[in-house]
Every structure is written in C-alpha cells, then in structure tokens.
C-alpha cells in the first residue's frame, strides 16, 4: 500500500513509525515531513496547508490511504478534498474539525448538550468584552475563537491582564481573524489529563491517557510551549474517572456532533481538567496531540493502520483498540530560547541504537547531516514496566544525544511520579 501522511512534526514521525509496523505498507509519503522523518518516509516538499498540492500529489501517485495529522489542514477541509478525489482518509471533515477550529462552536456545543466545561461568555464586540471584565471574577481565562498555534489562551491573574489580552486579540489582531471573537471563561483548577480517542461516530475507543508539560522551564515555570514532554498513563485518570468521562463527556460529545450533522471520524483529543466538581473539558482538538502521540502510540498494542481504516469504514465497533501494559515517557529536546527566539543549524548526533526511540520534530538535512531547524527539535521516548523506569530510561537516552544549544526540562514525569508514590 502507498500511504500519505500530511504534517512535519514529532507527532507525524510517531504516526509514520507506527504505520510502518504494518506489513502491507510499501511506502509512506510525508508532506512535507522533515529531515528526520526522511529516515522513515519519502518526504515531498508540499506544505501541510497546500490542499490543492496535496490532493494533486495523492491522485498522481495513486495513494491508497491518507492520514491528515495537523489542525490547520483539517480545519481547511483537506479530508473533504481528498475524499472528493476518491482517496480514503483518516481525519475529520471540515464541518467536524470545527470542534477545534472554533472555541465558540465547541463551548456552545458543550452548553447545548450539557457536557461539563468552564462557564463562559462569548464576545464579538470589544467594548462589551472590556465592560464585562470590569466586574468579572479573577483569575479569568481569555481565549481567541480560532486557531492560534496554541498561543491563543491567556490566564489573566488581574482584570488589567485580562483587558490587555482582549485588546491584543480584538484591537491589535495578534491572531488575525482568529481573535475577532473571544471567549472569556471561568478559571478552573485541578490536574490536567489528555485523552486521545478513536471515533467513527458510532463508538468511542480511547487510547492510554497522558500528561503534557506545557511550560518551558522546570517546576512548570516559564512561557507556555507546544509541550516539553509527556508521560502515559496519567495517574490522575483513574478507572472511575475514565468511566465517568466516557459517560458524561466522550459519548455525549460524539452524539452531539452526530446530532448537529457533523459526525466526527478520526482521533478526537479531549483536554480534561479533573476539578473538585469532577472532570471538565478544557479543550477539544480534532487530531492526535503533540507530544502526547509520542507516548500514546508506543503503548498502542493494536495495529494503527487497521484501526484507522476501521474508523474510515465506520467499523470501529468490530476493531480492538488495545493498550499495552506499562508506561512511557517522552522528553522534548528543544533549542535553548524556545518558545521565544533561538538559533538553529546545529548538527545533531543520535547513536544508531537510539534511532527507534527518537521522533524528530524540527530538523533538516544539510549536506547529508541532520541539523536543528526548529524550537522543538527531538522527542526522545522510552517505554518500561513502571513510570520511574520509563522516565529514567528516556533521560538516559537524552544524555547520549548531542547538539549545540540543546535544552530540555529535567522534571518530566515528576508530578506524575509524586502521585504514584503517594
Ligand atoms: P488550551 O490551548 O485551550 O489547551 O489552553 C492552554 C492551557 O491553558 C491549558 O492546558 C490549561 O492549562 C489552561 N487553561 C485553559 N482553559 C482554562 C480554564 N478555564 N481554567 C484554567 N486553566 C485553563
Ligand atoms: N499537546 C497539546 C496539543 O497537541 O495541542
């Protein structure tokens, strides 16, 4: 089979490595992929949002199955365009990807169908948003409606900070049209859990839960990033909470999307907070999370391509989604300075025996050598029987990988381990 994967990060590398385990796979094209992904796939320089280019390539090369991994092509209708050409795809159509593409949509969906989430107000008028903030309780959370590269959320400790966030989104257009509308919502507290689940609109089959580490520095300090590391499973996600989430969040979300005529087929990401009042939805993503995928897929026992095709065919009910026993940890090796400014172009050395454990996020090939080209450079993963062993093994691998200006957090998994050892 000829497969095509749209995207260029560590998540796509993890998806590609897992797809390759299926013996029917002859070749995988990565559009555009990156210098590290080139080890496992044929990288083609067509951008992830070049829908016409992707579709034309898929047709010309008689691709049998396509996986659209990132949010922007999904929201732009990449799956719709490929399906129109008769190419079976993994990923939601645009009318369902809106669950991530518009926070106003997802908040209104949750309200309409009684799915637990933070209380909120929506504003398309800046004056009204600012007036509301005069009396709103703080801390409060200001969110741009549309996609904003994961940067459209501001946790404001004071009313002034909240007003500044509204001004930067609505007046200064920091996120362009994504900030034309804002959601101002209640600040919730509690541990966060990510759950990635397959759904074909008829059933929901979650994979192992995970915990992201979003802040740049140890101790959850510093700026918000795309994610500095992950562990799975998430110890806060107990059997009881999992059951509650299935009944109160996962199935109601699937049914709500069906009810709205927006059946979601693909991987639905539930960003949850386990509040004192029970689990609530912080956000939905219409795709695999990054870097959650880098710990979740290594713990997936089932064949990924088989599960994806079952989702596409609407036969997920008959397909096992089995999770391996054990734990996994992924440490992101970044460029010093990320997520602000950083230098790139430094050569990366990865020992041969570690190639399988490394998911390349931001690296390019230059004169045949792998060099850093992004803020997040590598995800280094290990799986083991216990979380302690997985974390230690992942850090032992990190210590054997070299590039100048490398930076990584030293405390990935510390919080999860503290829970486990309580
Ligand atoms: P998001 O981009 O929606 O995942 O938000 C980024 C981060 O902001 C989340 O992972 C949470 O840590 C935090 N966050 C978002 N919404 C809330 C909320 N209502 N209360 C507290 N923290 C929040
Ligand atoms: N790790 C969070 C996300 O993929 O959006």
């Amino acid at each position: 089979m000829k497969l095509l994967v749209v995207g260029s990060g560590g998540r796509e590398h993890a998806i590609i490595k897992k797809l390759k385990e299926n013996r029917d796979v002859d070749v995988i094209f990565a559009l555009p992929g990156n210098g590290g992904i080139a080890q496992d796939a044929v990288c083609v320089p067509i951008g992830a949002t070049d829908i016409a280019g992707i579709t034309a390539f898929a047709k010309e090369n008689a691709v049998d199955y396509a996986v659209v991994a990132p949010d922007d092509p999904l929201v732009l209708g990449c799956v719709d365009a490929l399906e129109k050409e008769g190419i079976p795809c993994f990923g939601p159509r645009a009318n369902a990807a809106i669950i991530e593409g518009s926070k106003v949509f997802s908040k209104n969906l949750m309200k309409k169908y009684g799915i637990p989430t933070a209380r909120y107000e929506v504003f398309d008028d800046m004056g009204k948003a600012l007036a509301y903030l005069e009396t709103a309780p703080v801390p409060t959370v200001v969110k741009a409606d549309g996609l904003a590269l994961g940067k459209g959320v501001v946790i404001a400790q004071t009313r002034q900070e909240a007003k500044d966030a509204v001004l930067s989104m609505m007046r200064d257009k920091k996120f362009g049209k994504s900030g034309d509308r804002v959601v101002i919502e209640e600040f919730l507290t509690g541990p966060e859990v990510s759950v990635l689940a397959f759904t074909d609109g008829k059933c929901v089959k979650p994979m192992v839960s995970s915990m992201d580490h979003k802040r740049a520095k140890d101790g959850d300090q510093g700026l918000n990033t795309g994610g500095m590391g992950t562990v799975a499973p998430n110890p806060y996600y107990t059997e009881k909470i999992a059951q509650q989430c299935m009944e109160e969040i996962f199935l109601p979300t699937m049914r709500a999307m069906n009810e709205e005529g927006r059946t979601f087929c693909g991987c639905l990401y539930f960003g949850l907070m386990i509040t004192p009042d029970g689990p609530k939805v912080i956000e939905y993503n219409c795709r695999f999370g990054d870097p959650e995928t880098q710990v979740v897929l290594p713990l997936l026992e089932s064949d990924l391509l088989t599960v994806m095709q079952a989702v596409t065919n609407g036969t997920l009910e008959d397909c096992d989604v089995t999770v391996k026993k054990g734990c996994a940890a992924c440490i992101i090796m970044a460029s010093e300075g990320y997520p602000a400014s950083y230098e790139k172009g430094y050569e990366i050395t990865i020992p041969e025996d570690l190639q399988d454990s490394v998911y390349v996020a931001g690296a390019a090939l230059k004169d045949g050598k792998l060099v850093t080209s992004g803020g997040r450079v590598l995800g280094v993963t290990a799986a083991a029987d216990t979380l302690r062993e997985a974390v230690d093994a992942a850090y032992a691998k990190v210590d054997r990988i070299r590039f100048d200006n490398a930076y990584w957090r030293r405390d990935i998994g510390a919080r999860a381990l503290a829970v486990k050892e309580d």
Side-chain angles (χ1 to χ4, degrees):
M1 279 182 83
K2 284 188 196 173
L3 307 190
L4 181 160
V5 174
V6 175
S8 64
R11 164 185 56 203
E12 285 75 13
H13 201 180
I15 290 173
I16 287 167
K17 279 187 192 276
K18 192 77 185 173
L19 287 171
K20 277 180 69 176
E21 290 176 9
N22 184 304
R23 288 200 189 158
D24 292 336
V25 174
D26 300 308
V27 59
I28 304 181
F29 298 109
L31 275 59
N34 67 41
I37 290 177
Q39 289 253 343
D40 294 288
V42 178
C43 295
V44 183
I46 295 175
T49 55
D50 178 1
I51 310 294
I54 293 166
T55 316
F57 178 88
K59 232 173 103 178
E60 276 159 31
N61 292 277
V63 163
D64 297 299
Y65 192 70
V67 178
V68 182
D71 47 3
D72 16 2
L74 287 166
V75 171
L76 287 170
C78 192
V79 167
D80 310 56
L82 286 163
E83 281 181 349
K84 221 167 145 195
E85 297 298 342
I87 294 155
C89 279
F90 183 83
R93 296 180 185 150
N95 74 345
I98 192 174
I99 200 166
E100 173 169 5
S102 168
K103 292 207 192 291
V104 174
F105 172 86
S106 66
K107 294 298 290 190
N108 289 345
L109 184 86
M110 288 186 268
K111 190 188 220 170
K112 182 170 171 188
Y113 293 92
I115 297 164
T117 189
R119 281 193 298 271
Y120 70 102
E121 299 286 338
V122 174
F123 297 95
D124 57 11
D125 180 299
M126 187 172 73
K128 288 193 179 141
L130 294 172
Y132 169 80
L133 285 172
E134 290 292 341
T135 55
V138 281
T140 191
V141 185
V142 181
K143 300 186 171 183
D145 174 38
L147 296 180
L149 300 167
K151 300 192 175 92
V153 175
V154 174
I155 313 284
Q157 297 299 332
T158 63
R159 293 201 174 115
Q160 193 52 50
E161 271 177 50
K163 286 182 188 171
D164 290 345
V166 166
L167 288 170
S168 81
M169 290 175 194
M170 300 189 88
R171 184 191 63 194
D172 306 338
K173 306 269 173 223
K174 187 169 178 199
F175 306 112
K177 289 190 80 59
S178 286
D180 284 354
R181 289 191 292 179
V182 299
V183 173
I184 301 181
E185 72 176 31
E186 174 196 10
F187 175 75
L188 298 176
T189 55
E192 288 184 55
V193 179
S194 309
V195 177
L196 282 58
F198 293 105
T199 174
D200 60 356
K202 298 176 191 158
C203 65
V204 180
K205 298 204 171 175
M207 291 174 274
V208 65
S209 63
S210 56
M211 182 190 285
D212 195 1
H213 298 68
K214 286 197 177 184
R215 299 294 201 93
K217 306 275 174 198
D218 286 4
D220 294 323
Q221 302 295 311
L223 295 173
N224 245 324
T225 71
M228 293 300 290
T230 36
V231 295
N234 186 322
Y236 290 104
Y237 194 68
T238 59
E239 209 40 64
K240 186 163 158 265
I241 288 177
Q243 206 175 339
Q244 195 180 355
C245 288
M246 182 55 87
E247 284 160 19
E248 294 175 11
I249 297 176
F250 304 164
L251 290 171
T253 301
M254 180 195 81
R255 292 187 195 118
M257 291 298 277
N258 289 341
E259 198 68 30
E260 295 292 308
R262 296 172 181 274
T263 295
F264 188 102
C265 291
C267 174
L268 186 50
Y269 169 124
F270 298 90
L272 306 169
M273 195 173 265
I274 315 298
T275 76
D277 297 331
K280 296 193 178 176
V281 177
I282 289 283
E283 63 161 346
Y284 293 113
N285 291 330
C286 65
R287 53 176 172 84
F288 285 91
D290 188 348
E292 284 89 344
T293 305
Q294 291 89 312
V295 286
V296 168
L297 288 187
L299 292 178
L300 180 66
E301 179 82 56
S302 311
D303 175 61
L304 180 60
L305 181 60
T306 306
V307 177
M308 286 181 158
Q309 288 179 309
V311 169
T312 307
N313 297 334
T315 54
L316 184 60
E317 190 67 74
D318 308 325
C319 178
D320 281 336
V321 175
T322 321
V323 171
K324 291 181 192 169
K325 284 209 177 72
C327 301
C330 173
I331 317 299
I332 297 294
M333 296 183 77
S335 300
E336 175 82 58
Y338 170 77
S341 61
Y342 51 84
E343 294 170 15
K344 42 196 184 185
Y346 296 111
E347 188 177 338
I348 306 168
T349 20
I350 305 172
E352 193 53 43
D353 62 304
L354 296 190
Q355 296 289 348
D356 283 350
S357 326
V358 175
Y359 302 119
V360 179
L365 283 173
K366 197 175 157 208
D367 306 325
K369 290 185 174 141
L370 198 61
V371 300
T372 62
S373 70
R376 289 192 293 174
V377 179
L378 308 174
V380 182
T381 297
D385 289 343
T386 66
L387 186 58
R388 166 65 66 195
E389 288 166 323
V391 168
D392 289 349
Y395 275 113
K397 292 178 186 182
V398 166
D399 284 335
R400 296 176 53 216
I401 295 171
R402 299 255 175 277
F403 58 90
D404 283 348
N405 250 24
Y407 169 80
W408 62 91
R409 273 181 64 162
R410 313 277 164 166
D411 66 342
I412 300 303
R415 187 153 175 220
L417 282 165
V419 182
K420 284 217 130 165
E421 287 165 8
D422 271 351

